[in-house]
Amino acid sequence: MANLKIRQNVVNRLWPYIKRHLAPFVLKKTSLKPALNKEGYTIATAEDNIRLSVTGLLRPCLYFIRIVQESDESLMGAHLTTVTRNQHESDQAVHLFVTKDHSEFYGTVKITEDIEALIFYPSRLPVNIKIQDCYLRAINTFGRDYIYGQTYVRLRSFGLSWTIDRIREETEARIQRLIKGRIDDSYATWWELYEKPSQAVLSEQRESNKCIDTASPDISIIMPVYETRLILLKKAVDSVLNQSFSNWELCIADDASSSPAIRSYLKKLDSSDERIRIVFRKENGHISAASNSALGLARGTFVGFLDHDDELSPNALHEVMQVIRRNFSTELVYSDEDVISEKGKPLYPQFKPDWNVDFARSINYICHFMVIRRERVEHLGGFREGGYEGAQDFDLMLRATERLTPDQIQHIPHILYHWRASSNSTVLDHSNKSYSTEAGIKALQDHIERLELDAEVEPSEIPTAYRIRYRLPQPQPSVTLIIPTYNNLRVLKNCVDSVLGKTEYKNYEVLIIDNGTDEKAALDYLRSLQQPQVRVLKYLNEFNFSAINNFAVSNTHSEVLVLLNNDTEVCNSDWLIELVGHAVRPEVGAVGAKLFYAQNLIQHAGVLLGMGPDRVAGHAFKGAHKHVTGPMARTRLTQAYSAVTGACMAVTRKKYLEVGGLDENNLAIAFNDVDFCLKLQEKGYTNVWTPYAQLYHYESYSRGHDHGDSVKHERFLQERDYMISRWGDRLTTDPYYNPNLTRDFSNFSLAWPPFHQGVI
């Protein structure tokens, strides 16, 4: 976080220089208005579109596109795709930003020599639209690289040695905004548009809560106080007083603050509202002891936790109680949150997945706003004192959830808590509480021991985050690596050599399935591989990825199976130990690895449902640099996903057969891994992705992409339609993603507007 802040500060200093030098490289515009066959269009479904021909109009270049339209209705999910001369439409969408009044769309699109047209999808909902103007403006690539290069030189003059890729990460968003003019895609704008509750909504909530029985409070807010700046303490208290839900109590424990002003304020507060209860501790006992003192005052059915310099959204308690009333078995509720400046300006959000136990063991993503049934907290003995300070909320969360079922843990995908980035807060610099990581390791190791898991905890490379190493059963489970192949000697040899040369795991075999290799060099290599640890079987039917793997499984008796593409290359020696350690856990289904393109960009970091133009599935963080951390460090930490790619997937033989293997009848090529993972979920298993098993994936070397010819493309469409028919709404609500994040890109950026259940 500190490094990120440094980078942002440096870019802020350089921005006037960057802006001044960008203008000469934005070239003349090319109108696409003549390419429109009419001005008015009726968009009835998400697949309806407007074709914009660019043949003969544009040279290969990066372009800024602007579309001006008239519509009386809100537009949702506007994006572009490209069409090549052989009429194949790209499966990569270009997201378009939209103005507040929905009158203009902006974005950038790369035009290559083979692109014939742009396909404009204005909305995913029915709408009538009239195009007033449409043009492209070329952005000189040399100019962009010149800006990046000069920025790099300036950074070196500051004594900071960064790569051009890092500079691009920091400046790209700003350059986009400059090109787009008045568009503001910052989080502060998003929050104002979609998340900030209006006065009308708050008034309606207050009216609906008037009939609530107030004989005892529904929820007690626990607030330990110590040497808080008075202005921030008042804001925290005011955020409770201003709640649209009124049946609360505020329990404050002052931990022997030395400030007379704080004591005076709290005494006045104590007598101003009967819902406020305050205890003054005689000696400082740190945050756990102070929190327990506040808990001793609580009478509410539930207790929520608020830091003394943070704020609740005015609708926070209303939203929490709505969820509790709809789900009477609820034991714990948590919400999304954001980080605000000392003056209260929204800085950035933390949009969380639904309950994700592996992620919760990696980092305290629950954090704020957390609400727990009071009886459960009391049964647990409240916060543990001595050795857990700095991770006391993490420790309480682990103890509170470890005996709960997922339906007893409810996630509210709304910003209900504002975490203030004050000078001594861990939100900006975890070194402000350097003891937090050590306390977190202690809490997590206790959790592992209580659950009798055969594992050990170690710190992650991310501050206040952790890695759990699951020990392997002894003797080691037998493992078969299944590698389908066809010709391409160089690719296969690279894969096999990396497996045999780098794999630390001992009890494994390599099973290569030859699907019609006819190149002499490749055939000679396959014959040379006949050895105890490597087997080669021939599969003479037409290429069917699902059938090939099912055939391989029928020819092995190993306890663990690893589906492995022939265009992969092992990076770390303990990759198989990591995969098998998770795969043999009783509750785990499929296990996926972290895969990289040859350019050290992420190819796979888990699979998200409902992503991309087809709204079936897409890889998380695809195309991001391998060192990108992502929100809440999601590219660096073990966690559950709905699915993982079959390019490198581990699963026990028993579970593979339990769900019938891969679907070779309906999903010969595409989406068979996603379908397989969803079948495992149906059986109650959790699919896990780990960043600690790393491989390169050169992707589709042997067989090519499905969009390479019309036959493959038609098959892809059939398999896509099957997935939509088979899984339906399951594809629109991924519990490991968040409806506030876009489905057009895999970079966890904001959705404009947010998606809600049932909206595709």
Side-chain angles (χ1 to χ4, degrees):
M1 187 63 70
N3 289 336
L4 175 61
K5 187 180 180 185
I6 292 172
R7 295 206 306 272
Q8 290 173 337
N9 286 341
V10 172
V11 172
N12 286 338
R13 293 174 63 183
L14 290 172
W15 183 242
Y17 170 84
I18 295 170
K19 185 174 180 179
R20 184 170 66 251
H21 285 76
L22 180 64
F25 303 107
V26 179
L27 308 180
K28 68 177 184 178
K29 69 180 183 181
T30 301
S31 176
L32 294 185
K33 192 73 181 295
L36 300 170
N37 55 24
K38 57 181 179 178
E39 291 186 343
Y41 296 85
T42 298
I43 305 300
T45 72
E47 296 185 358
D48 290 346
N49 59 69
I50 301 170
R51 184 183 178 92
L52 304 170
S53 175
V54 298
T55 303
L57 295 176
L58 306 172
R59 62 182 177 83
C61 188
L62 181 69
Y63 287 84
F64 161 63
I65 186 168
R66 175 175 180 259
I67 301 173
V68 183
Q69 64 90 27
E70 282 185 3
S71 175
D72 295 331
E73 302 158 85
S74 295
L75 305 181
M76 176 180 291
H79 64 281
L80 290 172
T81 59
T82 57
V83 175
T84 60
R85 290 171 185 166
N86 58 4
Q87 301 304 305
H88 290 141
E89 186 174 352
S90 169
D91 61 351
Q92 296 296 312
V94 177
H95 175 69
L96 296 178
F97 295 100
V98 62
T99 54
K100 291 182 181 180
D101 60 2
H102 288 259
S103 65
E104 300 180 19
F105 299 99
Y106 294 83
T108 54
V109 58
K110 186 175 183 180
I111 302 296
T112 57
E113 290 182 353
D114 64 336
I115 289 179
E116 179 180 276
L118 302 177
I119 305 297
F120 173 42
Y121 295 86
S123 178
R124 305 201 185 284
L125 297 178
V127 67
N128 291 311
I129 183 173
K130 181 178 180 181
I131 304 296
Q132 291 183 313
D133 194 13
C134 177
Y135 68 80
L136 293 167
R137 189 186 293 274
I139 304 168
N140 190 308
T141 305
F142 170 78
R144 293 168 67 85
D145 289 341
Y146 171 80
I147 293 164
Y148 293 134
Q150 291 300 308
T151 305
Y152 178 68
V153 171
R154 293 287 296 274
L155 285 168
R156 289 299 297 269
S157 71
F158 290 153
L160 298 172
S161 179
W162 290 345
T163 65
I164 293 296
D165 285 340
R166 283 295 180 91
I167 304 307
R168 288 179 176 176
E169 287 178 19
E170 296 302 325
T171 58
E172 185 66 26
R174 292 170 178 267
I175 290 175
Q176 294 286 337
R177 290 191 197 126
L178 176 64
I179 294 169
K180 291 181 286 186
R182 65 180 183 276
I183 293 298
D184 182 2
D185 61 346
S186 68
Y187 168 66
T189 299
W190 185 94
W191 179 78
E192 288 277 352
L193 282 172
Y194 305 121
E195 201 52 30
K196 182 180 180 180
S198 67
Q199 289 303 315
V201 168
L202 294 174
S203 296
E204 184 178 330
Q205 291 176 358
R206 290 188 178 97
E207 190 65 29
S208 68
N209 290 323
K210 283 184 177 179
C211 59
I212 292 175
D213 181 9
T214 59
S216 62
D218 286 308
I219 184 167
S220 301
I221 304 300
I222 306 304
M223 182 192 291
V225 170
Y226 180 68
E227 304 293 14
T228 320
R229 286 171 54 191
L230 188 56
I231 187 173
L232 300 184
L233 177 58
K234 288 181 177 180
K235 287 182 177 181
V237 171
D238 287 346
S239 76
V240 179
L241 293 171
N242 294 330
Q243 289 295 304
S244 60
F245 179 85
S246 58
N247 195 27
W248 51 262
E249 68 176 0
L250 176 58
C251 302
I252 299 175
D254 177 63
D255 198 20
S257 297
S258 61
S259 169
I262 290 178
R263 192 173 187 87
S264 174
Y265 169 71
L266 292 179
K267 284 185 175 181
K268 290 179 181 177
L269 199 61
D270 195 16
S271 59
S272 65
D273 192 317
E274 62 181 8
R275 297 173 298 177
I276 298 176
R277 314 183 77 198
I278 300 176
V279 60
F280 293 93
R281 291 175 52 84
K282 294 182 179 180
E283 59 182 15
N284 179 260
H286 299 295
I287 190 168
S288 294
S291 297
N292 285 335
S293 294
L295 277 169
L297 302 173
R299 299 170 297 175
T301 307
F302 285 82
V303 292
F305 304 93
L306 175 63
D307 286 351
H308 58 183
D309 52 0
D310 296 340
E311 297 180 32
L312 294 177
S313 175
N315 62 328
L317 300 187
H318 172 85
E319 297 293 343
V320 168
M321 294 312 301
Q322 287 288 99
V323 167
I324 291 170
R325 287 169 185 154
R326 288 195 299 265
N327 305 274
F328 292 111
S329 64
T330 298
E331 291 287 319
L332 185 146
V333 182
Y334 67 98
S335 75
D336 293 343
E337 63 188 290
D338 66 7
V339 175
I340 60 174
S341 69
E342 291 209 15
K343 294 183 178 180
K345 178 184 177 181
L347 298 179
Y348 60 87
Q350 298 278 30
F351 289 126
K352 308 168 186 178
D354 290 350
W355 176 240
N356 188 328
V357 65
D358 282 274
F359 195 33
R361 290 172 181 167
S362 299
I363 193 170
N364 183 15
Y365 84 90
I366 300 294
C367 206
H368 312 116
F369 180 41
M370 182 170 67
V371 177
I372 311 175
R373 191 176 292 273
R374 180 167 61 89
E375 287 182 357
R376 177 165 295 274
V377 176
E378 291 176 346
H379 175 74
L380 295 169
F383 292 95
R384 292 199 289 177
E385 301 175 27
Y388 298 95
E389 276 77 9
Q392 72 287 336
D393 50 353
F394 181 49
D395 175 60
L396 179 63
M397 180 273 293
L398 291 173
R399 290 184 291 132
T401 58
E402 61 193 21
R403 302 299 179 187
L404 298 181
T405 58
D407 62 299
Q408 293 177 296
I409 304 169
Q410 299 293 324
H411 167 224
I412 302 175
H414 290 286
I415 301 291
L416 303 185
Y417 192 101
H418 305 296
W419 189 3
R420 194 177 306 280
S422 57
S423 58
N424 64 343
S425 171
T426 56
V427 71
L428 289 181
D429 186 356
H430 289 284
S431 66
N432 285 326
K433 293 182 180 177
S434 57
Y435 53 87
S436 297
T437 298
E438 289 77 11
I441 291 174
K442 180 177 173 62
L444 188 54
Q445 191 63 54
D446 289 351
H447 169 74
I448 295 297
E449 292 172 2
R450 286 192 300 271
L451 295 179
E452 298 181 344
L453 301 178
D454 192 9
E456 59 182 349
V457 180
E458 61 186 49
S460 163
E461 59 186 3
I462 305 299
T464 66
Y466 317 97
R467 177 183 181 180
I468 297 179
R469 289 184 183 266
Y470 291 89
R471 297 186 184 93
L472 294 171
Q474 294 300 324
Q476 286 184 346
S478 56
V479 178
T480 295
L481 309 182
I482 298 170
I483 306 177
T485 193
Y486 166 73
N487 289 330
N488 245 315
L489 168 62
R490 181 179 63 84
V491 171
L492 176 63
K493 187 175 186 304
N494 184 58
C495 173
V496 174
D497 287 352
S498 74
V499 168
L500 297 178
K502 295 182 181 179
T503 302
E504 185 179 333
Y505 196 93
K506 300 301 182 184
N507 190 17
Y508 75 93
E509 68 165 353
V510 176
L511 177 57
I512 299 173
I513 308 299
D514 175 17
N515 186 212
T517 293
D518 52 17
E519 293 179 355
K520 183 179 184 304
L523 288 170
D524 290 344
Y525 176 71
L526 290 173
R527 281 191 287 269
S528 73
L529 284 174
Q530 300 291 351
Q531 52 184 282
Q533 201 172 10
V534 182
R535 290 192 291 147
V536 179
L537 295 178
K538 289 189 177 293
Y539 181 83
L540 300 179
N541 297 326
E542 66 178 10
F543 179 64
N544 179 320
F545 183 82
S546 298
I548 289 172
N549 281 284
N550 290 342
F551 168 77
V553 172
S554 69
N555 282 276
T556 182
H557 300 286
S558 293
E559 299 165 74
V560 179
L561 311 169
V562 177
L563 311 190
L564 188 65
N565 278 21
N566 68 339
D567 52 1
T568 56
E569 178 184 347
V570 173
C571 295
N572 56 308
S573 62
D574 62 344
W575 72 285
L576 192 52
I577 293 174
E578 177 71 11
L579 291 178
V580 175
H582 287 289
V584 297
R585 292 165 54 193
E587 73 277 15
V588 170
V591 185
K594 189 174 187 179
L595 306 181
F596 304 113
Y597 290 115
Q599 303 88 345
N600 286 320
L601 304 177
I602 293 174
Q603 193 270 339
H604 172 261
V607 172
L608 299 168
L609 302 180
M611 297 294 289
D614 299 303
R615 291 295 186 255
V616 175
H619 289 190
F621 300 102
K622 186 175 183 179
H625 193 274
K626 69 182 297 184
H627 296 306
V628 165
T629 300
M632 296 181 291
R634 290 195 68 167
T635 70
R636 303 287 189 91
L637 301 175
T638 303
Q639 61 205 274
Y641 272 101
S642 290
V644 294
T645 181
C648 180
M649 174 196 291
V651 63
T652 64
R653 175 185 176 83
K654 176 179 178 295
K655 295 165 189 171
Y656 188 95
L657 296 177
E658 184 180 351
V659 298
L662 301 184
D663 187 344
E664 58 189 74
N665 297 317
N666 300 296
L667 299 169
I669 312 298
F671 303 124
N672 39 52
D673 46 5
V674 178
D675 175 74
F676 176 75
C677 288
L678 293 179
K679 290 190 294 186
L680 286 167
Q681 275 194 336
E682 272 192 327
K683 292 289 186 179
Y685 297 113
T686 298
N687 300 310
V688 171
W689 173 81
T690 172
Y692 305 113
Q694 300 182 358
L695 300 89
Y696 283 104
H697 181 206
Y698 304 114
E699 196 172 22
S700 302
Y701 264 111
S702 295
R703 295 288 177 174
H705 291 278
D706 278 356
H707 299 281
D709 60 51
S710 57
V711 174
K712 288 184 177 181
H713 186 59
E714 180 60 31
R715 183 191 61 225
F716 171 82
L717 294 178
Q718 291 175 359
E719 293 178 337
R720 175 203 65 182
D721 292 344
Y722 172 79
M723 284 293 291
I724 293 172
S725 172
R726 169 68 175 87
W727 295 106
D729 290 344
R730 182 69 183 83
L731 299 179
T732 69
T733 52
D734 190 332
Y736 302 112
Y737 198 44
N738 189 291
N740 296 297
L741 300 175
T742 181
R743 295 178 188 172
D744 294 318
F745 302 99
S746 62
N747 60 359
F748 286 60
S749 57
L750 296 171
W752 298 73
F755 289 88
H756 300 283
Q757 187 169 353
V759 176
I760 300 177

